[in-house]
Amino acid sequence: MAACNTSSIRRDCFTCQSRERAEWCALNKEELRLLDKAKVVREYRPGEVIFHQGDPCRGVHCFETGMVGLRKIDADGNSILLGLAYPGDTLGYRSFLVGEDHGASAETLKPSTICFLDGATVRTLLKHNPALGLQFLQTVARELGAAEERILQSVTLSVRARFAHLLLVLKDRYATSGKDGRFELELPLARQDLAAMIGIRPETMSRAIKQLEEDGVAYFSGRSVAVPDVKRLLREIEPESYL
Amino acid sequence: MAACNTSSIRRDCFTCQSRERAEWCALNKEELRLLDKAKVVREYRPGEVIFHQGDPCRGVHCFETGMVGLRKIDADGNSILLGLAYPGDTLGYRSFLVGEDHGASAETLKPSTICFLDGATVRTLLKHNPALGLQFLQTVARELGAAEERILQSVTLSVRARFAHLLLVLKDRYATSGKDGRFELELPLARQDLAAMIGIRPETMSRAIKQLEEDGVAYFSGRSVAVPDVKRLLREIEPESYL
DNA sequence: CCGGTGCCTTGACGTTGATCATGATGGGCG
DNA sequence: CGCCCATCATGATCAACGTCAAGGCACCGG
């Protein structure tokens, strides 16, 4: 019985890089010990489901490395990507906090390492350390702001504008180079998932891409995109801003 | 110098009915004293603005009586009603928590009484009483769930289905009678505001109403609606559910 | 080398809802 | 009572998107 209890390398909450960027940075040594003892680490391959929409929510997931998408499906089978999650994020905390079943599915888009924390432990920590609750409060409030923004955009903006907006959001995280307005980025998603992010059909996404290329706003090749001028992209979102 | 310091009748946080249904129920006597001393009561007539989108957020508003709408506007002037608020709700707490300017406007739809609480006081209370933070956490998390649901619906459901859904939501609060599926309700909003709730134009709302009447799903007269069968309304939302 | 499979593109077509314009309705007020 | 104003209804038209169908292209296993 060696010290190796998980999948190859030892993971612990004390040295976890992701934790420091997460809500859990509020915890002290003793609380970290509790966290470390309670956590269950798991490695996921791309395309695996962490939890399904409708599943009972038994705790939260700490996202350590990789990339995951949050997908929401309605009764007719229409699905959209609510968003992407990154290392440091906590998954499934919303359902946990209100004590409901999961309102969305979480699936890995790249190989990922994710820790599970059972509800009892989280509840204990929340009760024990008020700062943790305030951290979550910040996170949820920020998310709510983003969601409300998205509601507005989804009913007022055209597909083209929403796509431009998505590219700008992705740019902040994935842009490789950038001088005087020019930039390139490597898309983290397939076209159909890009489409799902703004709630449109893959066919419509294809056409939107073609249009942007015809107008010289952005050029697509596989998953790489080249944008000659950010301002052109910005103008797609606020049509009448300065004429 | 009589005891009357506000607009006619004395308002205090100790006996406030709305507070008991709000996050503030977590406070103890001493904290209530602080709350009561800090609050600024104000009466609003219909159509008044409590705060504007883009205004700096200096605190939160406790909604005591009346009715208010939260409106969000984009750069092109398109506006939607994010939702309605009712006595017991706290207004502007999201912007306050993340320390941003207000992301939406709040305007009264009926005569209302609303207390203002400055940010410093709220911060003190939050720090002092962890339960208050957890109450807010609950509220925000619930709101976030609703917002995500709405994002999905706004891109997948037709106008007709979204309107049916809105009627069902309003039913829970405003339905006057109801036996075996039949019910009536008094709309709290004008048509153009109903339209704004689901992000469509007033003209489209008119046509949606006409259609529902032609199909015998609901009958409109001024602000009163009669629905002969709830199931018909439910079926509008999940088209292929049981055929 | 071949056939399969998943993802993407393209085209033709229908439907939905926005837009613009015009007229109806009804309530408040002089 | 009649006028004005806001709200609502209706019609005609158009652009945007979804839908259906077909075909290309890369990757994979046999």
Side-chain angles (χ1 to χ4, degrees):
Chain A
M1 290 213 282
C4 179
N5 63 350
T6 71
S7 59
S8 76
I9 48 166
R10 169 85 183 121
R11 305 271 182 188
D12 74 81
C13 297
F14 302 100
T15 60
C16 176
Q17 299 290 320
S18 307
R19 183 185 54 76
E20 318 216 339
R21 274 172 292 148
E23 292 81 11
W24 314 101
C25 66
L27 302 185
N28 63 30
K29 279 252 174 70
E30 186 200 339
E31 290 157 350
L32 276 183
R33 245 193 304 279
L34 186 58
L35 198 66
D36 191 61
K37 218 177 83 186
K39 74 162 193 307
V40 178
V41 190
R42 218 195 115 178
E43 306 276 344
Y44 294 81
R45 285 169 306 133
E48 281 195 87
V49 172
I50 301 158
F51 51 78
H52 269 106
Q53 180 172 342
D55 281 353
C57 177
R58 309 196 188 286
V60 303
H61 294 263
C62 291
F63 191 171
E64 201 172 326
T65 66
M67 177 171 167
V68 342
L70 290 168
R71 180 163 269 132
K72 196 168 173 67
I73 310 188
D74 72 6
D76 296 351
N78 300 94
S79 92
I80 63 167
L81 268 179
L82 273 183
L84 304 176
Y86 301 100
D89 290 357
T90 304
L91 303 173
Y93 66 91
R94 196 203 60 78
S95 314
F96 171 73
L97 290 169
V98 296
E100 291 173 354
D101 294 345
H102 284 295
S105 309
E107 60 191 56
T108 52
L109 300 171
K110 295 184 179 164
S112 305
T113 309
I114 295 161
C115 302
F116 173 74
L117 288 175
D118 68 286
T121 303
V122 181
R123 253 183 295 274
T124 304
L125 287 170
L126 274 176
K127 198 174 290 183
H128 194 267
N129 186 338
L132 182 61
L134 293 180
Q135 286 286 339
F136 272 108
L137 196 45
Q138 283 269 344
T139 304
V140 197
R142 220 187 324 270
E143 287 261 325
L144 180 56
E148 292 181 341
E149 192 65 42
R150 198 158 160 193
I151 291 173
L152 179 59
Q153 293 190 342
S154 66
V155 294
T156 61
L157 295 187
S158 67
V159 161
R160 177 166 172 149
R162 276 183 283 160
F163 184 37
H165 183 261
L166 175 60
L167 286 176
L168 286 167
V169 172
L170 293 174
K171 160 182 173 292
D172 291 337
R173 191 174 285 266
Y174 297 99
T176 54
S177 69
K179 60 174 183 178
D180 52 48
R182 177 178 209 83
F183 75 89
E184 286 165 29
L185 65 83
E186 199 64 22
L187 296 172
L189 295 170
R191 313 263 141 139
Q192 41 181 12
D193 285 336
L194 285 180
M197 289 237 38
I198 55 177
I200 61 174
R201 308 286 144 182
E203 297 97 317
T204 307
M205 175 53 76
S206 266
R207 291 180 181 116
I209 287 174
K210 200 174 164 192
Q211 269 192 35
L212 287 187
E213 285 186 332
E214 280 170 358
D215 297 348
V217 179
Y219 300 91
F220 297 76
S221 167
R223 285 198 176 184
S224 40
V225 191
V227 176
D229 186 1
V230 196
K231 286 202 291 293
R232 298 281 299 276
L233 217 44
L234 282 166
R235 214 173 308 160
E236 297 289 336
I237 300 174
E238 303 184 23
E240 333 294 348
S241 52
Y242 46 110
L243 290 183
Chain B
M1 288 212 281
C4 180
N5 63 349
T6 70
S7 60
S8 74
I9 47 165
R10 169 90 182 115
R11 305 272 183 188
D12 74 81
C13 297
F14 302 99
T15 60
C16 177
Q17 299 290 319
S18 307
R19 183 187 54 75
E20 317 217 339
R21 274 172 291 151
E23 294 79 12
W24 314 100
C25 66
L27 302 184
N28 63 30
K29 278 251 174 70
E30 185 199 340
E31 291 156 352
L32 275 184
R33 245 192 305 276
L34 186 58
L35 197 67
D36 190 62
K37 218 176 83 186
K39 73 164 195 304
V40 179
V41 191
R42 215 195 118 179
E43 306 275 346
Y44 294 81
R45 284 170 308 131
E48 281 195 87
V49 172
I50 302 157
F51 52 79
H52 269 106
Q53 180 172 343
D55 282 353
C57 177
R58 309 195 187 287
V60 303
H61 294 262
C62 292
F63 190 172
E64 201 173 327
T65 66
M67 176 170 168
V68 344
L70 290 168
R71 179 164 269 130
K72 196 168 172 67
I73 310 189
D74 72 7
D76 295 352
N78 301 94
S79 92
I80 63 166
L81 268 180
L82 272 184
L84 304 176
Y86 300 101
D89 291 356
T90 304
L91 303 173
Y93 66 91
R94 196 203 60 79
S95 314
F96 171 72
L97 289 170
V98 296
E100 291 173 356
D101 293 345
H102 284 294
S105 308
E107 59 191 57
T108 51
L109 300 172
K110 294 184 180 165
S112 304
T113 309
I114 294 162
C115 302
F116 173 75
L117 287 174
D118 68 288
T121 302
V122 181
R123 254 183 295 275
T124 304
L125 287 170
L126 273 177
K127 197 174 291 181
H128 194 266
N129 186 339
L132 181 61
L134 293 180
Q135 286 286 339
F136 272 107
L137 196 46
Q138 282 269 344
T139 303
V140 197
R142 221 188 322 270
E143 287 261 324
L144 179 56
E148 292 180 341
E149 191 65 42
R150 198 158 159 193
I151 291 173
L152 179 59
Q153 294 191 342
S154 66
V155 295
T156 61
L157 295 185
S158 67
V159 162
R160 178 166 171 150
R162 276 183 282 158
F163 184 37
H165 183 262
L166 175 60
L167 286 176
L168 286 167
V169 171
L170 293 174
K171 160 182 173 294
D172 291 336
R173 191 173 284 265
Y174 298 101
T176 53
S177 69
K179 59 174 183 178
D180 51 49
R182 175 179 210 81
F183 75 88
E184 286 165 29
L185 66 81
E186 198 65 23
L187 294 173
L189 295 170
R191 312 264 142 138
Q192 42 180 13
D193 285 335
L194 286 179
M197 289 236 42
I198 55 178
I200 61 173
R201 307 288 144 181
E203 298 96 315
T204 306
M205 175 53 76
S206 267
R207 291 185 243 268
I209 286 173
K210 200 176 165 191
Q211 269 192 35
L212 287 187
E213 285 186 330
E214 281 170 357
D215 297 349
V217 178
Y219 300 91
F220 297 76
S221 168
R223 285 197 174 185
S224 40
V225 191
V227 176
D229 186 1
V230 195
K231 287 202 292 293
R232 297 280 300 277
L233 216 45
L234 283 166
R235 215 173 307 161
E236 297 289 335
I237 301 175
E238 302 182 25
E240 332 295 347
S241 51
Y242 45 109
L243 291 182

